[in-house]
Amino acid sequence: MRPPSVSDVARRAGVSKATAARVLGGYGRVSAAIHAAVSAAAAEIGYRPNELARSMTTGRSDTIGIVVGDIANPFFAVAVHAMSQVLRAEGFGVLLANSAESLAEEKAAIDTLLGRRVDGMIVSPADMRESSHLRAIVDSGVPLVQFDRCAAGLAVAGVTADDRDVAAEVTHMLIRRGHRRIAYFTACETDSGRFSDLEEIGTGSVRERIAGFLAAGEGLEDTALEVVVGAVGAKRAQSLATEVLSRGAEAPTAMIASDSTIGLGLYTAARAAGIAIPQALSLVTFHDADWTAIAHPGITVISQPARRLGEEAARMLIRQIQTGDGTCAHRVVPCRIIPRGSVGDGPVS
Amino acid sequence: MRPPSVSDVARRAGVSKATAARVLGGYGRVSAAIHAAVSAAAAEIGYRPNELARSMTTGRSDTIGIVVGDIANPFFAVAVHAMSQVLRAEGFGVLLANSAESLAEEKAAIDTLLGRRVDGMIVSPADMRESSHLRAIVDSGVPLVQFDRCAAGLAVAGVTADDRDVAAEVTHMLIRRGHRRIAYFTACETDSGRFSDLEEIGTGSVRERIAGFLAAGEGLEDTALEVVVGAVGAKRAQSLATEVLSRGAEAPTAMIASDSTIGLGLYTAARAAGIAIPQALSLVTFHDADWTAIAHPGITVISQPARRLGEEAARMLIRQIQTGDGTCAHRVVPCRIIPRGSVGDGPVS
DNA sequence: CTGTTAGCGCCTTCAA
DNA sequence: TTGAAGGCGCTAACAG
């Protein structure tokens, strides 16, 4: 049961293979009569072009590879959705791969995609410190756009949010409100289990945020700013927060969550400990998740333009493919702070 | 800059194309010495097999097509994630397509995937009433597994939740608690904008749920059960709910949301109207979204086994591909009701 | 306008 | 064990 090919159509229509191919492929000129005959023959036997074979000769696969950390993460889900829409509109299919935020899996995925001869790639590098595999993409002549994070020392296009700036802005706001003990929670892990150096943070976007956070706190006492790592999942975030909040006078009066899953953990921890938000604790989280609007009080969030970021990345890639232009434009899309009531005055106000 | 091919490697290693192909493709027998030489040559020039060409001759693409309504929907996001994991472990890549719950887009996506010669497909039919395009997949000899919903009158494998049963169970529970006015909210649309017949509901899973809902209410007065359609998105769900709740004595005392987005809209509407949950209104929603746990009171939910469903579908497809077995097994995975406090007694208790 | 011919990169006979 | 030749389905260059 081999699917019908151009030859089959040609034979049935009584024309040469080339002629049939022309009408089937929609290129070259063919007389109306023959065109109709071939189309009819094709429809009769249910012909469908073999895109693989087509790719072989054209060199294009009309397929884009996308590698993200976790499709189940709403941020990526929305972004991927946006990318697909833009890409589909331009006639590209999408080959999706999950890296589970693991460098090894990311490498494997990229390898597979290169083997499939994708026309371009959008990748969210799991670790900004390793970029050899990304360089391999570029060396293969495949257009690449980094998404949400950028690898260090790699002259490749990218689309990111203004992580550093918005983190600094939020931190400044908290300081202005009188907070002098602020904790930033991230899912990133370090070898020691504690944070000591920015270099330990592999996720580019998170590193940027922490950089902004720390920069905003310059001039304050050493104890003012704290980074808590390893908050993987709501449960772990909750237990870490519970621990931190139990320090009494040493406990932070404000917390920033690096994603909404963590935010949920922090919120739950505060409630469980009977700590009032925003009177005794201020809370801000990245990502405008559902729950933040119905929590009591509503949670002040840093809304990430996931859709816009995705669209922008897709467009940037398309441009790169179409113009063959290798300029490594770097686009930054601003986040938006949505105040909802979870931020109150600190002790120094 | 054409990527290196077997010929290039062969030339560099000083052997014939066939020999190089044998070691590169990992088939046939080659002497150790030559094997090493070829491998070395391949590494030096950065050879990477062209999977497209390979597919041309083998007939397999090692790629699976997945078509779902909306990747940004957490249910599908989790399911797709699970599918990819299982498929990747078996060496398959994933070609993902969004149908936006539109039949036309679904058809287009399937067409593209067939053109790309995928080895199998997993599809969530947008409309169970139309199955010609699904039949085309089967006719092409491509293994197919339906996901979450099944098209009517199509002997094709599928994995679904026990939508009808669990909907009936929840409805029975509400009736037992004394509710005699229960409304079911769905995002599905009908021509008239109101619900009159099960046949109008195109989404298979939703139709099943409504069937269970209605079956559970048999014997009650005609006014007892109501189906509200067109609750697309939280906002629209909220306004529809507000309208329904403003009926005074005629208003439902219990509501069931067909997904968590709708649930959020209903919850918000109730709060805005100052209607106490569960004292004056009971609420149940499909999908165990994170907001349901922190709402006040916690929302009783019907938890869908998204991950399990996805894994199961992937495994079923793999089995079908490997054994060439065309049996149309139909697997049903049970949902789980998680009581959280949003269900109270109705007037008749 | 139409047909002939020659590849794309790989796998797969068939001989040697 | 190795090499030469042919073909998968399609496009592309060249004649006619």
Side-chain angles (χ1 to χ4, degrees):
Chain A
M1 266 292 294
R2 179 182 50 74
S5 73
V6 267
S7 305
D8 300 320
V9 176
R11 196 173 316 119
R12 193 166 224 282
V15 298
S16 79
K17 216 172 55 165
T19 303
R22 275 191 263 263
V23 3
L24 264 18
Y27 58 92
R29 323 231 147 271
V30 183
S31 71
I34 289 195
H35 185 105
V38 172
S39 302
E44 283 168 30
I45 62 178
Y47 168 79
R48 185 190 315 274
N50 183 331
E51 300 296 343
L52 299 181
R54 187 169 278 175
S55 299
M56 286 275 306
T57 63
T58 60
R60 295 178 303 105
S61 65
D62 289 328
T63 303
I64 300 300
I66 299 181
V67 184
V68 295
D70 178 13
I71 321 175
N73 175 322
F75 171 73
F76 285 123
V78 170
V80 168
H81 184 62
M83 293 176 195
S84 320
Q85 266 183 301
V86 173
L87 292 170
R88 175 160 304 283
E90 290 290 328
F92 290 103
V94 168
L95 211 38
L96 185 67
N98 250 55
S99 72
E101 297 294 6
S102 135
L103 187 60
E105 288 196 47
E106 179 177 308
K107 286 182 176 176
I110 287 175
D111 228 61
T112 306
L113 292 172
L114 285 178
R116 295 260 200 312
R117 295 300 189 263
V118 292
D119 291 343
M121 277 202 224
I122 298 177
V123 179
S124 276
D127 194 327
M128 62 177 290
R129 294 164 295 187
E130 239 289 273
S131 60
S132 59
H133 57 307
L134 298 180
R135 188 162 283 121
I137 300 175
V138 180
D139 291 345
S140 303
V142 175
L144 167 67
V145 171
Q146 299 179 90
F147 179 74
D148 183 51
R149 320 150 183 179
C150 287
L154 193 68
V156 166
V159 180
T160 62
D162 62 340
D163 293 292
R164 183 190 293 241
D165 292 348
V166 80
E169 184 183 344
V170 141
T171 308
H172 271 132
M173 177 187 73
L174 292 170
I175 294 173
R176 210 180 312 120
R177 294 292 291 267
H179 293 278
R180 290 299 177 272
R181 283 184 177 276
I182 310 175
Y184 186 101
F185 285 74
T186 170
C188 288
E189 319 232 27
T190 62
D191 292 338
S192 66
R194 280 189 283 108
F195 175 85
S196 55
D197 194 307
L198 220 45
E199 301 289 321
E200 296 178 310
I201 306 295
T203 311
S205 48
V206 176
R207 186 190 286 193
E208 287 292 317
R209 292 175 193 172
I210 295 177
F213 170 68
L214 296 177
E218 280 190 1
L220 298 185
E221 286 188 32
D222 285 357
T223 54
L225 268 38
E226 175 181 9
V227 176
V228 179
V229 298
V232 191
K235 289 235 175 62
R236 186 93 188 91
Q238 183 179 344
S239 65
L240 283 172
T242 302
E243 199 183 311
V244 168
L245 288 172
S246 68
R247 288 194 207 135
E250 313 275 283
T253 61
M255 306 200 291
I256 304 174
S258 204
D259 67 48
S260 65
T261 305
I262 296 175
L264 188 59
L266 304 190
Y267 175 79
T268 310
R271 288 202 75 91
I275 298 174
I277 298 175
Q279 294 80 7
L281 178 70
S282 290
L283 180 59
V284 180
T285 181
F286 272 83
H287 185 56
D288 183 20
D290 281 346
W291 67 268
T292 58
I294 64 154
H296 285 283
I299 307 299
T300 294
V301 302
I302 297 162
S303 176
Q304 296 167 285
R307 166 159 291 281
R308 272 260 295 293
L309 284 168
E311 290 173 348
E312 202 57 50
R315 285 204 204 94
M316 198 175 270
L317 183 63
I318 290 170
R319 206 175 314 132
Q320 212 176 126
I321 292 172
Q322 290 176 342
T323 67
D325 183 8
T327 53
C328 57
H330 193 125
R331 184 146 171 59
V332 176
V333 182
C335 292
R336 199 162 47 90
I337 298 177
I338 304 178
R340 288 220 180 88
S342 62
V343 172
D345 291 327
V348 193
S349 60
Chain B
M1 265 297 293
R2 179 182 50 72
S5 73
V6 270
S7 305
D8 300 319
V9 177
R11 194 172 317 119
R12 192 166 225 282
V15 299
S16 77
K17 217 169 55 165
T19 303
R22 275 191 264 264
V23 2
L24 263 19
Y27 57 90
R29 323 231 147 272
V30 182
S31 71
I34 289 196
H35 185 104
V38 173
S39 301
E44 284 167 30
I45 61 178
Y47 168 77
R48 185 191 315 275
N50 182 331
E51 301 295 344
L52 299 181
R54 187 169 276 176
S55 298
M56 287 271 310
T57 60
T58 61
R60 295 178 303 103
S61 65
D62 290 328
T63 303
I64 300 299
I66 299 181
V67 184
V68 294
D70 178 13
I71 321 175
N73 174 323
F75 171 72
F76 284 124
V78 170
V80 167
H81 184 62
M83 293 176 195
S84 320
Q85 265 183 302
V86 173
L87 292 170
R88 175 159 303 282
E90 291 289 329
F92 290 102
V94 168
L95 210 39
L96 185 66
N98 250 55
S99 73
E101 297 293 7
S102 135
L103 188 59
E105 289 195 47
E106 179 176 311
K107 286 182 177 178
I110 288 176
D111 229 60
T112 306
L113 292 172
L114 285 177
R116 293 257 199 321
R117 295 300 190 262
V118 292
D119 290 343
M121 276 202 226
I122 298 178
V123 179
S124 278
D127 194 327
M128 62 177 291
R129 295 165 294 188
E130 240 290 272
S131 59
S132 59
H133 57 306
L134 298 180
R135 189 162 281 120
I137 299 176
V138 180
D139 291 345
S140 304
V142 174
L144 167 66
V145 171
Q146 300 179 89
F147 180 75
D148 183 51
R149 322 149 181 179
C150 288
L154 193 67
V156 166
V159 181
T160 61
D162 62 340
D163 293 292
R164 184 190 294 241
D165 292 349
V166 80
E169 185 183 344
V170 142
T171 309
H172 271 133
M173 178 188 73
L174 292 171
I175 293 173
R176 211 179 310 120
R177 294 292 289 266
H179 293 278
R180 290 299 179 274
R181 283 185 178 277
I182 310 175
Y184 185 101
F185 286 74
T186 171
C188 289
E189 318 232 30
T190 63
D191 292 337
S192 66
R194 281 190 281 110
F195 175 83
S196 55
D197 195 308
L198 221 44
E199 302 289 321
E200 294 177 312
I201 305 297
T203 311
S205 49
V206 176
R207 187 190 286 192
E208 287 292 317
R209 293 174 193 172
I210 295 177
F213 171 68
L214 296 177
E218 280 192 1
L220 298 185
E221 286 188 33
D222 285 356
T223 54
L225 268 38
E226 176 183 6
V227 175
V228 180
V229 298
V232 191
K235 290 236 176 60
R236 185 92 187 93
Q238 182 179 347
S239 66
L240 284 171
T242 302
E243 198 182 311
V244 168
L245 288 171
S246 69
R247 287 194 208 135
E250 314 274 283
T253 61
M255 306 200 291
I256 303 174
S258 205
D259 66 49
S260 65
T261 306
I262 295 175
L264 188 59
L266 304 190
Y267 176 78
T268 310
R271 290 201 73 93
I275 298 175
I277 298 176
Q279 294 80 5
L281 177 70
S282 290
L283 179 59
V284 181
T285 181
F286 272 82
H287 186 55
D288 184 19
D290 46 20
W291 67 267
T292 58
I294 64 151
H296 285 282
I299 307 299
T300 295
V301 301
I302 297 161
S303 176
Q304 295 168 286
R307 166 158 290 280
R308 273 262 293 296
L309 284 168
E311 289 173 348
E312 202 56 51
R315 284 203 205 95
M316 198 176 268
L317 183 63
I318 290 170
R319 205 176 314 135
Q320 214 176 122
I321 291 172
Q322 290 178 341
T323 68
D325 183 9
T327 54
C328 56
H330 194 126
R331 183 145 171 62
V332 176
V333 183
C335 293
R336 199 162 49 90
I337 297 177
I338 304 178
R340 288 219 180 91
S342 63
V343 172
D345 292 327
V348 191
S349 62

